[in-house]
Amino acid sequence: MLIVQKYGGTSVGSSERIKAVAQRIAETRDAGHRVAVVVSAMSGETDRLLGLAGQVTDRPDAQASDLLVSTGEQVTVALLSMALKDMGYPTQPLLGHQVEITTDSAFGRARIQRIATDRLTSALNDGAIVVVAGFQGVDADDNITTLGRGGSDTSAVAIAAVTCADVCEIYTDVDGVYTADPRICPRARKMQRISYDEMLELASLGAKVLQIRSVEFAKRHHVAVHVRSSFAPDTGTFLVEEEPSMEDVIVSGVTSDLNQAKITLLRVPDRPGLAAKLFGPIADDNIVVDMIIQNASAEGSTDLTFTVPQDDVQKALSRVAHIAEEIQAGGVTSDTQVAKVSIVGLGMRSHAGVASRMFQVLAREGINIQMISTSEIKISIVIEAKYRELAVRVLHDEFIAPAQ
Ligand code: ASP
Ligand code: MG
């Protein structure tokens, strides 16, 4: 088999960990497999480098910033390669530009456009363990780019796709994908498998196991992904193609996100074009608006509420304040003490009444629902932040693991 293994920051966070990872790679090789490895920077390193940039300037140049943060992965590629060679294994270390992982030029959030396979496959065919720097690529002008935080996941899945690997193993510090955060919900359990679409929802709703783009990539290119722990030998969670039987399970996961803020424009005049006027500039600032609700207007005006990531709330508010004045809205309020709680499951497509069951469970606990949004396989609500953990637990009890 050809196996791509990706090791995240904590898995390569110290020289001891790097030696342990080398041991694990060696075992895979000894079992007769070909192995390509993708590594992240040592844990904390990317943040440390960004911190340095922040000490030099308030507005680090995006191109230079990518040049800076990409060094974190260069360190781990080098150290891991040394460890493997020391153990007697032929090893080929490669940076993104040496592989030729070509991306667009959106520094800090570049997208992979093409990956050359010549160097990867010839090294693998020569029997070498290939060790590739995750997170980084190169644009058409030979500038180093990076793929956004957590981007090594996407590097690994993309390399698995172009090399037609049998599996892409993502080694991390948790042992798989859980039905809820085990720190909040003691009855949460590890899923054996999950469909790409469910994982996409969970990843975008705040479950931080995988970078969303890596899941999109895996889905598009049919890459079998295995999320597992580098600290333990057990099988983790497989991301797989959807199967009909998966619809029998109504809810596969409950997730929550505290990094949310709610902004409300009061008494927005009911005229065509105002939503465009509001959300255009917010999008131009790269602020991702998640939920939006607007009521039917009473007497020619209506309140409009939407959510943004909490880190972006000041930026969004300064935009919104201008626009509110311009369109003569009644005022702007914001609230950062909110959480988004979501249930996800393919079975929602074929089972009616899931939303009402969800709302009943919350009503029973006296939790007020401030906003609701749904998709085919997900229902999200916004509630007061202090009820987040309780909401996750009662929803998990209701849909996934009823108390005995
Ligand atoms: N080192 C990068 C980060 O911290 C990429 C990664 O770990 O996947 O975001
Ligand atoms: Mg990660």
Side-chain angles (χ1 to χ4, degrees):
M1 291 214 291
L2 171 57
I3 300 179
V4 173
Q5 297 187 332
K6 180 256 166 174
Y7 291 94
T10 40
S11 304
V12 292
S14 65
S15 45
E16 283 71 39
R17 288 297 310 153
I18 289 176
K19 284 194 257 179
V21 160
Q23 191 59 47
R24 183 144 200 160
I25 296 166
E27 281 161 20
T28 313
R29 186 77 178 74
D30 292 346
H33 303 302
R34 294 185 299 151
V35 193
V37 179
V38 175
V39 285
S40 293
M42 295 168 111
S43 53
E45 177 64 4
T46 309
D47 288 331
R48 189 186 71 84
L49 293 166
L50 287 170
L52 278 178
Q55 286 168 27
V56 172
T57 161
D58 286 341
R59 297 179 62 88
D61 173 67
Q63 181 182 341
S65 181
D66 273 7
L67 190 59
L68 176 69
V69 292
S70 67
T71 59
E73 274 71 12
Q74 180 161 348
V75 171
T76 43
V77 165
L79 291 173
L80 182 58
S81 300
M82 280 174 202
L84 286 165
K85 283 199 176 154
D86 187 58
M87 293 162 68
Y89 290 88
T91 304
Q92 176 64 60
L94 291 171
L95 297 178
H97 69 93
Q98 293 175 309
V99 175
E100 268 189 64
I101 299 177
T102 312
T103 70
D104 61 21
S105 303
F107 296 109
R109 54 190 162 88
R111 279 185 178 270
I112 296 174
Q113 291 173 331
R114 210 181 77 86
I115 298 182
T117 51
D118 339 1
R119 233 174 138 176
L120 286 174
T121 36
S122 72
L124 286 168
N125 289 343
D126 289 346
I129 296 169
V130 179
V131 183
V132 181
F135 183 51
Q136 54 178 257
V138 61
D139 75 2
D141 299 321
D142 268 347
N143 299 308
I144 306 276
T145 56
T146 65
L147 309 179
R149 298 308 301 270
S152 309
D153 294 338
T154 303
S155 307
V157 173
I159 284 171
V162 297
T163 56
C164 301
D166 295 278
V167 62
C168 179
E169 297 180 335
I170 306 276
Y171 285 91
T172 175
D173 49 4
V174 293
D175 60 357
V177 183
Y178 275 71
T179 52
D181 184 340
R183 286 165 304 185
I184 298 181
C185 191
R187 272 206 293 277
R189 47 183 155 73
K190 186 167 76 183
M191 300 182 216
Q192 279 174 347
R193 26 175 234 158
I194 181 172
S195 70
Y196 296 118
D197 283 327
E198 287 169 311
M199 192 62 222
L200 271 179
E201 292 284 8
L202 289 177
S204 61
L205 291 170
K208 299 219 165 39
V209 201
L210 289 173
Q211 198 199 33
I212 296 177
R213 275 188 192 171
S214 72
V215 186
E216 288 166 357
F217 221 102
K219 181 184 175 189
R220 195 156 5 106
H221 299 276
H222 311 282
V223 179
V225 176
H226 181 186
V227 180
R228 61 192 304 189
S229 167
S230 64
F231 298 83
D234 322 308
T235 309
T237 303
F238 284 90
L239 262 66
V240 294
E241 309 282 347
E242 192 178 320
E243 287 163 25
S245 69
M246 287 180 166
E247 284 207 10
D248 298 345
V249 179
I250 301 178
V251 174
S252 0
V254 182
T255 181
S256 67
D257 186 1
L258 270 180
N259 180 23
Q260 293 279 315
K262 197 176 77 168
I263 297 179
T264 301
L265 266 83
L266 301 163
R267 295 184 300 285
V268 178
D270 195 9
R271 285 202 307 272
L274 289 191
K277 200 171 215 147
L278 175 65
F279 292 112
I282 293 179
D284 292 344
D285 267 354
N286 271 318
I287 299 171
V288 180
V289 172
D290 180 29
M291 291 190 204
I292 304 175
I293 47 171
Q294 184 192 293
N295 281 319
S297 76
E299 289 150 20
S301 76
T302 175
D303 295 350
L304 189 154
T305 304
F306 59 94
T307 59
V308 297
Q310 208 168 106
D311 322 320
D312 287 335
V313 70
Q314 287 312 329
K315 208 158 65 162
L317 277 174
S318 67
R319 284 282 184 182
V320 172
H322 284 120
I323 301 161
E325 215 167 288
E326 202 182 312
I327 63 177
Q328 294 181 319
V332 181
T333 64
S334 69
D335 185 356
T336 53
Q337 297 304 309
V338 292
K340 181 167 70 170
V341 175
S342 312
I343 57 176
V344 174
L346 290 179
M348 281 185 215
R349 286 190 199 135
S350 45
H351 293 77
V354 184
S356 78
R357 240 173 100 189
M358 178 182 194
F359 303 153
Q360 273 165 30
V361 170
L362 297 167
R364 220 161 43 218
E365 301 296 330
I367 301 173
N368 187 40
I369 301 172
Q370 303 179 3
M371 299 173 83
I372 303 166
S373 88
T374 65
S375 80
E376 214 192 0
I377 61 164
K378 168 207 83 179
I379 304 170
S380 296
I381 51 156
V382 170
I383 58 174
E384 228 183 300
K386 67 175 185 200
Y387 292 125
R388 174 180 75 114
E389 300 194 353
L390 175 63
V392 169
R393 273 194 296 270
V394 292
L395 290 169
H396 194 273
D397 284 353
E398 171 73 15
F399 290 106
I400 297 176
Q404 298 302 322

